[in-house]
Amino acid sequence: MAGLRGPYRPRAHRFTPREPEPEPQDPEVLARQALERSLNAAKRALKIKRARYSLRDFIELMWPDPEFPENVDRSLFDCEPHHRILIDMVEAIEKRTLMRAGCSMPPQHGKSLILSRFGLAWILGRNPHWRVLFATYADTLADTRGDELRSVLEAKTFREVFPKAALKKGSRSKGEMVFEAGGSINLVGRGSGATGRPCDLFIIDDPYKDDQEASSDTIRESIRNWYSAVAQMRCPVFAPILIVHTRWHEDDLLGWLADPEHPANRGNPDRAKRWKYVNLPSPVSDPDLAQALGLQVGDALWPKRFPLHHIQEIRENAGPRIFAALYLGQPAPEDGDFFKAEHIKTYAPFELPKSLRIYAASDHSVSEKERSDYTCMMLVGVCENNLVWVLPDLFWENGKAAASDLVVEKMLDMAKKRPPLWWRAGRDHITKAVGPFLRKRMRERNIFINMIEEPENGDKRRKAQAIQARMSAGGVLFPAGAPWLMRARSEMLKFPHGKHDDFVDCLSLIGRGLVTLHGAAKPEAANDDDRPKVGTFGWVKWAAKQDSMASAWRIRLGSM
């Protein structure tokens, strides 16, 4: 066609497909959906209101089922009976009807979830003006706890429940969060300088990293000193204190504070009564606790998640010591760790042989650090069969009864009644405690003891290996009727994790001294013994020579 440029190309028509018309829905379905949305909204509003006063409702609201996020009746938190005990504890702390509380329970049973995460957030939401101090064994763990707590405090649901508990803008530190209402939360590692700040609530969660730390005398003492400086100097009388940790040692923080049998509390029973300590073991062994939980004695604490067969598998793999600490809340297993219950054998009085060689040892409490410890002195007899018979003549006291002058007189009384061939004690103990006075009284009373001073340093387990070997072979016998036997048995079974080891240390001295010595001569050969009369200067010289020879043999045998 004239006037056209190029061939004719018809313009393509643009076609936009029409959206399909929505199918009309049944009015009844629409009405039911609207009613369901209104009901869920009403339930949520009620749950938000209840969460301000109930920790359980708060946790259920903050931890919804991801498949049904709008349904407040569906939650990932399934409140078990032992959870209710922890919830009651947190609520009592917030109300300040419970001022001193301690808790131990198995791992992965909800302790950190209820106490350290949602419980702490709930307390802060209700009291955004409080200054809270949260401490654990390391700054890195404190930072982790801080991240978990911040995720709760900054959640939309939390702001709905506690609109007045808003964090200040710019408060981004993991270890410190400040509220607009004036309060704050500081999360620190133990011993941190931040603990010098005043606080309205003090929470300690796991001050010991593991068994090795809890078994260290130095670390346990440093934690006690740190706690005293914070609790006594920074917490006013109205500030609650909550301590949660695994019971690795009888002398740990909870044992030191809340155990009425701890030496620090024996002279002041009201000190331990201030604390409410709750131990939730698995399996449950206490009838009253089982009844409160709706369980039977021997049931698992959380049978839905950790049934008995699973607990038994953990027991087999972990070993008695670790299992007792983690799952039973006991610093030492009932059947013993280093010393076993079946190795503690006894004898009746009529079974004690008449022909015995007598040896003695003592463990003295001499320093300010050991002011609550005991002085233990024992006599043993070794028979012709090389069996060690621990004699009933035992001195085991502390306080005024263990004063140096009284201890010396008791030593001489014991030596007069049953003269020992040697008496072993720690070198520092003799030097600091009884040495000069003992030598003076020996001359005055004409009773002489061949004192052998042992070095103080070294691992206590290694030192006790000699007597442990004898006991495991059935070579050590204890007097069945002795009033101190049950106490000694308890200490041996808990060694080396118990509060005390005076008896064990004393027994260890005996074991090391008997490594190369022999038992008593046979009765018919006893009269042929031409050694000097016991108790004379000649006898002391002879006994020292015998011990020197024994020491030389120990060195040659590599037993020192």
Side-chain angles (χ1 to χ4, degrees):
M1 294 178 62
L4 294 179
R5 298 179 181 178
Y8 170 75
R9 295 188 180 94
R11 180 177 297 178
H13 294 281
R14 295 180 180 178
F15 174 76
T16 303
R18 180 180 297 179
E19 294 289 338
E21 295 289 338
E23 296 183 2
Q25 293 188 3
D26 188 342
E28 293 184 1
V29 174
L30 295 176
R32 188 164 54 249
Q33 290 177 348
L35 180 61
E36 185 176 346
R37 286 193 297 270
S38 299
L39 183 59
N40 285 338
K43 285 184 176 180
R44 182 175 179 81
L46 179 61
K47 193 74 169 180
I48 288 174
K49 185 176 181 179
R50 294 175 58 182
R52 294 168 185 161
Y53 305 96
S54 166
L55 176 56
R56 175 176 177 174
D57 287 296
F58 176 77
I59 299 175
E60 291 174 348
L61 184 64
M62 294 297 299
W63 204 8
D65 188 333
E67 296 184 5
F68 305 92
E70 299 301 324
N71 188 346
V72 294
D73 293 331
R74 304 288 294 267
S75 173
L76 294 181
F77 178 63
D78 187 10
C79 188
E80 297 291 333
H82 69 283
H83 293 153
R84 293 199 301 267
I85 293 179
L86 299 181
I87 288 173
D88 290 343
M89 179 180 292
V90 174
E91 291 180 344
I93 287 173
E94 191 276 331
K95 295 176 183 176
R96 289 176 172 166
T97 57
L98 179 61
M99 301 302 295
R100 301 290 183 268
C103 178
S104 58
M105 61 186 300
Q108 304 300 315
H109 277 60
K111 169 179 63 69
S112 297
L113 179 79
I114 295 174
L115 298 179
S116 304
R117 188 177 180 185
F118 290 118
L120 182 54
W122 182 78
I123 291 176
L124 290 169
R126 288 177 54 83
N127 306 275
H129 58 284
W130 277 16
R131 295 161 298 184
V132 178
L133 178 61
F134 179 95
T136 186
Y137 65 81
D139 290 331
T140 53
L141 182 58
D143 289 343
T144 301
R145 294 284 190 264
D147 286 338
E148 295 172 349
L149 179 62
R150 181 180 289 277
S151 67
V152 178
L153 298 178
E154 293 182 341
K156 177 183 176 181
T157 305
F158 179 85
R159 295 195 298 270
E160 291 177 323
V161 179
F162 300 112
K164 296 182 180 180
L167 292 174
K168 274 189 175 182
K169 294 181 178 179
S171 177
R172 304 303 304 171
S173 172
K174 294 181 179 180
E176 182 178 10
M177 288 164 258
V178 182
F179 293 87
E180 291 182 354
S184 63
I185 168 72
N186 291 276
L187 300 100
V188 299
R190 68 174 186 234
S192 172
T195 57
R197 304 174 183 180
C199 63
D200 301 299
L201 171 63
F202 185 27
I203 298 178
I204 302 177
D205 189 355
D206 284 332
Y208 307 97
K209 181 179 179 181
D210 49 27
D211 180 21
Q212 185 176 1
E213 281 201 353
S215 299
S216 168
D217 294 340
T218 302
I219 293 179
R220 291 200 313 274
E221 184 179 11
S222 68
I223 291 177
R224 288 195 296 264
N225 294 337
W226 164 74
Y227 168 83
S228 298
V230 174
Q232 296 178 5
M233 305 302 175
R234 305 301 175 184
C235 294
V237 67
F238 54 79
I241 300 175
L242 171 64
I243 300 177
V244 183
H245 66 69
T246 300
R247 296 300 313 277
W248 290 113
H249 199 283
E250 277 200 326
D251 190 34
D252 56 26
L253 193 56
L254 281 175
W256 178 61
L257 291 169
D259 184 2
E261 295 300 319
H262 193 281
N265 301 323
R266 285 203 178 113
N268 183 14
D270 292 336
R271 183 172 181 266
K273 290 180 180 178
R274 300 189 191 106
W275 286 83
K276 179 181 180 180
Y277 168 61
V278 176
N279 177 42
L280 300 173
S282 186
V284 180
S285 56
D286 181 59
D288 294 336
L289 178 61
Q291 183 178 5
L293 296 172
L295 302 172
Q296 300 293 326
V297 173
D299 286 350
L301 184 64
W302 196 351
K304 293 181 182 178
R305 186 169 181 180
F306 297 97
L308 275 179
H309 68 84
H310 182 70
I311 297 295
Q312 180 60 30
E313 184 180 1
I314 294 174
R315 184 197 297 267
E316 294 170 355
N317 295 332
R321 160 68 186 154
I322 302 299
F323 180 82
L326 290 175
Y327 281 83
L328 302 181
Q330 298 176 358
E334 293 182 358
D335 58 349
D337 182 13
F338 188 83
F339 296 103
K340 300 296 183 181
E342 61 267 24
H343 298 157
I344 303 177
K345 302 185 180 299
T346 60
Y347 67 89
F350 63 85
E351 296 177 311
L352 185 66
K354 294 183 178 180
S355 180
L356 294 170
R357 285 186 177 176
I358 306 300
Y359 304 95
S362 54
D363 180 75
H364 299 262
S365 174
V366 297
S367 66
E368 181 64 20
K369 175 183 174 182
E370 298 172 332
R371 60 188 181 277
S372 298
D373 284 348
Y374 287 73
T375 291
C376 182
M377 302 188 295
M378 70 171 60
L379 295 171
V380 304
V382 182
C383 67
E384 58 180 327
N385 296 321
N386 211 30
L387 297 177
V388 179
W389 304 73
V390 180
L391 302 177
D393 310 78
L394 185 77
F395 177 88
W396 197 1
E397 300 288 347
N398 75 339
K400 294 182 179 179
S404 297
D405 54 343
L406 299 178
V407 167
V408 166
E409 298 303 326
K410 184 62 178 178
M411 290 177 71
L412 295 176
D413 291 342
M414 295 171 67
K416 181 178 181 180
K417 181 179 179 180
R418 295 179 182 269
L421 294 176
W422 45 247
W423 189 306
R424 276 179 153 74
R427 180 173 297 133
D428 290 343
H429 289 178
I430 296 300
T431 302
K432 296 179 180 178
V434 300
F437 186 62
L438 174 62
R439 289 187 286 271
K440 176 177 178 294
R441 291 298 293 155
M442 281 196 296
R443 292 191 297 270
E444 292 175 351
R445 294 185 58 175
N446 199 30
I447 301 173
F448 299 98
I449 301 174
N450 177 28
M451 294 297 304
I452 308 297
E453 299 182 23
E454 293 277 356
E456 294 291 324
N457 56 350
D459 180 65
K460 292 194 175 190
R461 293 176 65 101
R462 182 185 62 79
K463 290 182 178 180
Q465 285 176 352
I467 199 67
Q468 178 203 41
R470 283 181 177 266
M471 289 179 60
S472 62
V476 181
L477 304 173
F478 299 88
W484 46 262
L485 180 59
M486 292 306 297
R487 177 180 163 197
R489 183 180 187 275
S490 175
E491 183 179 300
M492 286 187 286
L493 295 182
K494 294 175 180 178
F495 179 82
H497 307 286
K499 292 188 292 288
H500 297 292
D501 49 24
D502 339 277
F503 184 88
V504 172
D505 284 348
C506 195
L507 196 61
S508 298
L509 288 168
I510 295 289
R512 298 200 302 276
L514 294 178
V515 168
T516 58
L517 299 182
H518 301 286
K522 295 183 179 181
E524 60 270 16
N527 294 330
D528 298 333
D529 194 350
D530 58 353
R531 64 178 182 269
K533 184 178 179 181
V534 174
T536 64
F537 279 111
W539 171 82
V540 172
K541 183 177 179 181
W542 174 86
K545 181 179 179 181
Q546 298 298 314
D547 185 76
S548 177
M549 294 171 61
S551 298
W553 273 105
R554 283 196 296 272
I555 293 173
R556 293 180 63 183
L557 294 173
S559 60
M560 291 294 287

